[in-house]
Amino acid sequence: MAKLVDEQVSQAENELGVLDIPITSTPEMFATLGLDTSSAGPNLRVEFNYTLQYSFVRSASVLISVYRGEGADAVLVFQTEQSIPAPSTKGNHTVYRAPISSNGVDYLPPNTDFIIYQAFVSSPEHSKHAKLTRIGPESFAARAYSD
C-alpha cells in the first residue's frame, strides 16, 4: 500500500478577478513547489492537480504545461490544452470567464530527495486576438507517494 511522502500547495491567488495578467504564446509560470522525497521507498509517484481561471473575448485555447525540475534541465511531464468557443464572435466584446483544471501523475520520477515541479500557462498563436487574461484564482498542488 502506498504511503504519503510529502504534499505541497502553490496558491498564486485565491480570489476571482484579483489578477489581470495577459496570457501570450510565451509560457508564464503560475506555480512552483518542491516535494521532499528523501524518505520515499520504491515506486515513487507524484500526483498533481491545478486550477486556473481566465477571461477571453473570442474563441480561445489555453495550454498548461507541468515540468519536473527547473531551467534547461526541466522535463515536461504533463500538458493539456483547453479550447473554448465564445458564444458569438461577430461584433461581440463581451468578456467571458472559464476555469481550466486537470489532474496528472509523474510515475516513477528519478528520486533526487527533493523534486521541484513548475506549472506554466500559454496560448497558441492562433488565440492571440482572444485577449486571454489570467484573472484568478490559481492553485497547484502535488503529493508524493511511494511503497
Side-chain angles (χ1 to χ4, degrees):
M1 183 169 174
K3 70 172 186 163
L4 177 65
V5 176
D6 192 18
E7 65 180 324
Q8 297 293 322
V9 175
S10 176
Q11 184 84 31
E13 185 53 58
N14 63 356
E15 292 183 42
L16 174 65
V18 175
L19 300 177
D20 186 17
I21 303 169
I23 299 173
T24 67
S25 59
T26 302
E28 289 286 333
M29 184 170 49
F30 71 90
T32 186
L33 54 78
L35 297 169
D36 178 358
T37 57
S38 60
S39 66
N43 301 318
L44 178 64
R45 76 174 185 273
V46 175
E47 298 176 0
F48 52 85
N49 59 284
Y50 59 81
T51 296
L52 180 140
Q53 180 111 341
Y54 63 97
S55 66
F56 58 101
V57 296
R58 294 187 180 165
S59 296
S61 293
V62 173
L63 184 68
I64 302 291
S65 305
V66 176
Y67 289 86
R68 179 187 344 107
E70 300 175 280
D73 295 330
V75 175
L76 179 65
V77 295
F78 187 83
Q79 191 172 60
T80 187
E81 182 175 351
Q82 179 180 16
S83 298
I84 296 190
S88 172
T89 57
K90 232 184 227 183
N92 188 351
H93 298 289
T94 302
V95 176
Y96 302 98
R97 295 188 309 227
I100 181 169
S101 297
S102 192
N103 301 304
V105 65
D106 187 11
Y107 190 68
L108 298 177
N111 188 356
T112 57
D113 291 340
F114 189 78
I115 304 175
I116 294 173
Y117 288 90
Q118 296 182 322
F120 292 82
V121 60
S122 61
S123 147
E125 189 63 31
H126 67 268
S127 292
K128 66 183 177 183
H129 299 294
K131 296 183 181 176
L132 286 160
T133 305
R134 292 166 47 198
I135 59 173
E138 295 179 350
S139 179
F140 180 61
R143 293 148 309 280
Y145 297 94
S146 73
D147 292 342

